[in-house]
Amino acid sequence: MDASGRFPDSPDSPDTLGLEVLDTARKARLVSGGGTFRTSAEPALGLRPIVTSDGPIGVRGERWDETDTALALPSPTAMAASWDEELVERLGALLAAEARRKGVDVLLAPTLNLHRSPYAGRNFECFAEDPLLTGRIGAAYVRGVQGGGVAATAKHYVGNESETERITLDAAIDERTLREVYLAPFEAAVRAGVWAVMSAYNGVNGSSMSESPLLAEPLKGEWGFDGLVVSDWGAVRSTGTAGAAAVDLAMPGPNEHWGERLAEAVRTGRVPAAALDDKVCRLLRLARRVGALEGTPARPPVAARPERDRALLRRAAAAGAVLLTNRGGLLPLDPARVRRIAVLGPGAAAARIQGGGSASVYPASVVSPLDGIRAALPPGVEVVHAPGVRSSVRPSPVAAGDCRNPVTGRPGVHVRFLDAVGQVLHTEDRPSGRSFEVDGSVDLTALHSVDLRTVLRVGTAGRWRLGVVGLGAVRLRVDGRTVLDCYTAPESDDPTYLHVTPSFRQAEVELAAGQETEVTARRIVEPGHGRVVALTADAPAGTPEEELAAAVELARGADAVIVVVGTSEQHESEGFDRSTLDLPDGQNALVSAVAAVNPATVAVVTSGGPVLMPWRGEAAAVLLGWFPGQEGGDGLADVLFGRTEPGGRLPATWPATGAGPAVPGTRPRDGVLAYREGLHLGHRGWLRAGAEPAYWFGHGLGYGQWEYLAVEVPQHLAPGAGFTVRAVLRNTGRRASREVVQVYLARPGSAVERPVRWLAGFAAVRAEPGQRVEARIEVAPRALAHWSAEERRWLAEKGVFTLLVGPSCGEVPLSAAVEVVAADDRVLRR
């Protein structure tokens, strides 16, 4: 390995040693995956399996298992909202420590796709709508993870900005837009030294990404990426075409299209032998980097530091929180001046901490907003709570506190795995009825059905909704009586649907308060239907009118109101796009009703991406908490009561309505999703349309007040040169504060199409009240360049660029001019 962390590709490279002992079949087996989340071992090379795990907010491990807990970080949107690379690098290092604790070598993160549309279901897992912000935050994430000896994986390369038909859609993106916008964050990750890249399911411009020439150029060629390209799970769907392409590892394994089929394609010349050798060499290079080869340095587990880790996650939740509105300076609240606080909303007691799909994890503990607020207040302050509305799309797994295992007597559920004649293959005692995968010790070839049994403790009388999550034949019995017996046919072949969130069936059962009811669910396991099964129970609830009235009454008598609304993993998830940006289930009406009776109302929104807020002019303060991770409740309380400042700035533009010229859709037409907006996504599209969103990209308020005083820049630049911007600011507020100073460029009269303005750099400064500070913002040469598809290179257009400086894309009080001139006319002066 050289000083850059790269291995030379010479004939005696350590990654080629031993290839001569492998025949074609063994090489093909190595690159065909070894299991769901691990590669194959090769004793002849001293190679153990390389273990992977989904991310990006935690290290789940190889199974979706609530007994194998993981730290839950804030969503990537919250990370990007911090505009804080040092913090994100620390979070990456924490993930590396978690990975090593769990024996994981490769974290399948970060997601570097962009927020092209607010409707995209997986926006919470991506950083931002802007390529520069995404690239810089993503690079920090990569540095943090890999600094701990664990491989990061830049995904999903490229054009995976939609979940609708994501397996098969073809993204039609022009070359310049690809280079300047969608490829740019991946290039930044490669420059940061990322060890793995994941190719996407979708196609781009006619080629499936597992077969795309974009994997060779620019990724492995022009950019010099020397790591491993791994397919998204199940995305390799051909032998010869994918085998000859630059994808290196087909996952999961064994992949039916590779293995012996790939070996035969090499023998017959359909796939060059050199292509297979390159794949194996890259796999071995990754193995060497993560310590999976004999003779490489061991990566011992890192001791857990629970208090320190939770403190970092608490800080991160506050650092990403975006204060959108603060009329009358309502925030921060003074605990000494309130005697009764109403904490309302469906997200107050039941914390919404993460999005859905493969990114989800099971934390050992979660601090809800209600818990965090109560812990932050002195004993004399009364905290009252009501949900106001019930917001749920999917049924709730039976919780440990509501059930008893009929075998052990402890809280939980007894599970039996049975063969076709009813013989028990394996048993488990689970803490809840949550969905889970079949235990690895079960003989899947003999598995026929799964039984779940529990004794439900009924706390509320009325009609309970009991159900089973899982595909195929399902049956539900209550106290020996069959209440559900049906067949649930699959509605999609999407992996997330099959293996994480399959369909469910429910039955209503009248139950009396205080009774104990035995509930048994059975699911027949069929090939191709996934193995998820869950037992669910939802208690009776009041009518919507009763729920709302109770919350309004509490708000009326409170000194301040915190109403927590938003989405959840049921509304924002891998596997589907959103059909609406409205808050679900009457939450808009709840905020309006509460604000109407109490002017000291703070609306807290927990979501992964934009939601519409028609009440944003009614609540005195609007605070965006994102999906804040497991310590979100404490981080929120820190912000509400002024222990820390809300540090976030929007990484995406938030629209005022669900339609418009700057809000593209996510649904392909005839299998093609056309990126017709080209360079003009997000705030660029809003600026081009001359439209006003609800909140601009980059917007966010702190607890200070900032005055932008002056800016200094070079007057002239040679083509290909970067420069430094010096901006002078003063904190005119009464509190110490942090400001994210943003620099945008514009090119009026350009000979090539450009955005109205685009982000060119940013930096944060801190100042005490009344203090004057200077922000130094580096602008890279690429910010002034454009991609020429005709010349196939980057060009810097000569002429005057306008430089704009401010706290958001929509507010740029300072401006200056920078002229790009010929090299021999270069004059750099202030």
Side-chain angles (χ1 to χ4, degrees):
M1 184 184 294
D2 61 24
S4 67
R6 301 177 182 274
F7 288 98
D9 291 320
S10 62
D12 59 348
S13 165
D15 307 312
T16 65
L17 296 179
L19 281 186
E20 67 278 0
V21 308
L22 299 182
D23 59 20
T24 299
R26 292 166 79 182
K27 292 176 184 177
R29 182 182 65 85
L30 269 185
V31 300
S32 300
T36 304
F37 286 106
R38 55 177 54 203
T39 65
S40 295
E42 180 47 75
L45 300 180
L47 173 67
R48 64 164 174 79
I50 299 172
V51 178
T52 70
S53 171
D54 281 312
I57 67 156
V59 186
R60 190 186 59 248
E62 296 186 76
R63 296 182 63 213
W64 274 274
D65 189 341
E66 64 181 321
T67 64
D68 184 12
T69 60
L71 292 175
L73 281 64
S75 65
T77 43
M79 295 184 200
S82 73
W83 296 58
D84 187 337
E85 292 154 281
E86 182 273 334
L87 173 61
V88 173
E89 191 165 340
R90 287 190 61 190
L91 292 172
L94 177 58
L95 288 168
E98 279 275 281
R100 289 168 61 182
R101 180 177 66 82
K102 290 193 167 196
V104 168
D105 304 301
V106 179
L107 186 65
L108 302 174
T111 301
L112 299 180
N113 304 113
L114 300 182
H115 294 204
R116 173 179 173 265
S117 168
Y119 288 94
R122 213 167 176 177
N123 277 347
F124 67 91
E125 195 178 327
C126 310
F127 291 118
E129 70 185 22
D130 183 81
L132 176 65
L133 178 59
T134 297
R136 285 179 56 172
I137 296 297
Y141 187 105
V142 168
R143 290 193 299 270
V145 171
Q146 294 188 172
V150 174
T153 308
K155 67 181 190 182
H156 309 84
Y157 185 92
V158 62
N160 183 194
E161 279 77 30
S162 170
E163 292 298 286
T164 305
E165 300 178 26
R166 64 173 178 155
I167 306 295
T168 58
L169 77 80
D170 184 45
I173 314 173
D174 69 86
E175 184 179 337
R176 185 177 170 206
T177 299
L178 261 175
R179 285 287 194 149
E180 293 188 23
V181 179
Y182 295 100
L183 285 171
F186 291 94
E187 184 178 3
V190 172
R191 301 291 180 234
V194 72
W195 292 346
V197 169
M198 180 187 290
S199 59
Y201 286 121
N202 56 275
V204 171
N205 298 332
S207 295
S208 167
M209 281 311 304
S210 61
E211 303 170 357
S212 174
L214 291 170
L215 297 175
E217 291 293 346
L219 179 61
K220 290 184 175 180
E222 177 189 327
W223 297 351
F225 173 63
D226 72 343
L228 180 92
V229 175
V230 57
S231 75
D232 206 337
W233 266 226
V236 168
R237 290 162 281 197
S238 69
T239 302
T241 309
V247 62
D248 302 311
L249 174 64
M251 288 295 286
N255 182 281
E256 62 178 323
H257 301 288
W258 280 18
E260 182 51 39
R261 290 186 182 183
L262 178 58
E264 182 61 22
V266 171
R267 295 186 195 106
T268 58
R270 288 191 299 131
V271 173
L276 178 57
D277 282 351
D278 184 62
K279 299 178 196 303
V280 176
C281 287
R282 288 173 179 269
L283 179 66
L284 295 178
R285 183 175 299 151
L286 177 66
R288 188 175 300 277
R289 284 170 165 164
V290 300
L293 276 174
E294 287 182 6
T296 54
R299 266 65 169 196
V302 178
R305 302 173 299 180
E307 293 305 315
R308 183 172 174 179
D309 294 344
R310 291 182 62 186
L312 176 61
L313 299 188
R314 179 174 181 164
R315 175 192 159 197
V322 183
L323 183 57
L324 297 172
T325 304
N326 193 21
R327 276 182 285 275
L330 176 62
L331 292 181
L333 298 170
D334 184 353
R337 302 184 65 178
V338 293
R339 289 291 173 265
R340 192 169 193 257
I341 289 183
V343 183
L344 311 174
R352 278 82 182 276
I353 68 165
Q354 62 184 327
S358 64
S360 59
V361 298
Y362 296 115
S365 63
V366 173
V367 182
S368 71
L370 181 60
D371 293 336
I373 290 168
R374 280 178 169 156
L377 291 170
V381 180
E382 181 185 9
V383 179
V384 295
H385 165 66
V389 299
R390 303 287 178 174
S391 178
S392 181
V393 175
R394 295 181 63 84
S396 307
V398 176
D402 299 328
C403 63
R404 172 173 56 82
N405 185 316
V407 175
T408 68
R410 295 189 296 269
V413 174
H414 184 68
V415 185
R416 299 189 306 162
F417 302 88
L418 309 172
D419 65 14
V421 296
Q423 293 295 313
V424 177
L425 300 172
H426 179 70
T427 64
E428 286 187 11
D429 295 307
R430 310 285 303 184
S432 78
R434 195 186 303 271
S435 60
F436 60 93
E437 293 184 332
V438 177
D439 186 88
S441 63
V442 178
D443 180 5
L444 297 180
T445 61
L447 180 64
H448 173 264
S449 61
V450 183
D451 270 3
L452 296 85
R453 289 176 57 216
T454 193
V455 176
L456 180 67
R457 300 188 181 98
V458 181
T460 305
R463 296 190 67 80
W464 282 67
R465 284 178 293 129
L466 308 179
V468 184
V469 177
L471 302 177
V474 296
R475 185 176 67 187
L476 184 67
R477 295 173 63 84
V478 178
D479 286 335
R481 179 171 59 94
T482 299
V483 298
L484 191 66
D485 192 350
C486 62
Y487 188 89
T488 306
E491 299 174 1
S492 169
D493 61 356
D494 187 285
T496 299
Y497 169 80
L498 292 173
H499 303 298
V500 184
T501 53
S503 300
F504 57 88
R505 294 292 183 267
Q506 293 175 289
E508 289 195 350
V509 180
E510 188 76 30
L511 298 175
Q515 77 176 86
E516 288 197 336
T517 300
E518 184 171 287
V519 182
T520 304
R522 171 171 290 192
R523 182 201 162 193
I524 308 299
V525 179
E526 297 182 31
H529 283 188
R531 301 189 293 270
V532 172
V533 60
L535 177 61
T536 69
D538 286 282
T543 67
E545 294 78 12
E546 290 169 340
E547 297 279 358
L548 179 61
V552 170
E553 188 59 31
L554 292 182
R556 196 188 310 274
D559 298 317
V561 176
I562 314 297
V563 54
V564 185
V565 293
T567 61
S568 72
E569 72 277 5
Q570 300 177 8
H571 308 96
E572 295 187 64
S573 174
E574 179 182 359
F576 61 86
D577 290 316
R578 299 161 71 189
S579 60
T580 178
L581 302 182
D582 288 317
L583 288 173
D585 304 314
Q587 293 182 80
N588 285 331
L590 171 64
V591 179
S592 291
V594 166
V597 301
N598 194 319
T601 292
V602 181
V604 177
V605 178
T606 57
S607 70
V611 298
L612 302 182
M613 296 181 284
W615 40 260
R616 65 186 185 277
E618 302 166 26
V622 181
L623 181 65
L624 173 57
W626 306 104
F627 291 143
Q630 67 179 64
E631 305 302 318
D634 282 336
L636 171 64
D638 289 340
V639 169
L640 291 174
F641 301 115
R643 290 188 176 91
T644 190
E645 187 179 37
R649 305 294 184 267
L650 285 178
T653 306
W654 277 44
T657 64
V663 184
T666 60
R667 184 169 295 279
R669 285 190 176 184
D670 299 322
V672 177
L673 184 62
Y675 286 43
R676 293 189 180 91
E677 69 282 355
L679 304 172
H680 309 283
L681 78 160
H683 58 284
R684 300 174 176 189
W686 287 92
L687 288 165
R688 183 175 66 160
E692 187 77 15
Y695 300 104
W696 284 104
F697 171 79
H699 171 71
L701 306 173
Y703 289 152
Q705 299 290 329
W706 289 90
E707 182 181 8
Y708 282 69
L709 301 173
V711 60
E712 294 183 355
V713 296
Q715 291 183 354
H716 303 287
L717 290 174
F723 61 98
T724 301
V725 178
R726 289 180 168 85
V728 181
L729 299 81
R730 180 187 293 116
N731 177 10
T732 60
R734 294 180 294 179
R735 291 176 56 111
S737 184
R738 172 182 181 264
E739 178 75 336
V740 179
V741 183
Q742 301 161 41
V743 171
Y744 296 85
L745 284 172
R747 177 75 168 99
S750 176
V752 296
E753 181 185 6
R754 294 183 185 273
V756 174
R757 56 179 169 266
W758 61 96
L759 184 68
F762 62 90
V765 292
R766 298 180 185 274
E768 297 297 320
Q771 184 181 2
R772 178 180 172 129
V773 292
E774 180 183 88
R776 294 171 56 93
I777 305 100
E778 300 298 325
V779 176
R782 182 66 63 81
L784 295 148
H786 65 275
W787 177 259
S788 170
E790 294 76 20
E791 299 190 34
R792 303 200 57 75
R793 64 189 180 102
W794 293 95
L795 299 177
E797 185 184 17
K798 295 181 177 63
V800 176
F801 288 75
T802 302
L803 183 136
L804 302 156
V805 182
S808 78
C809 176
E811 185 181 355
V812 282
L814 300 179
S815 64
V818 177
E819 184 179 9
V820 176
V821 298
D824 56 351
D825 294 330
R826 181 176 58 188
V827 179
L828 294 176
R829 62 174 183 262
R830 303 287 173 204

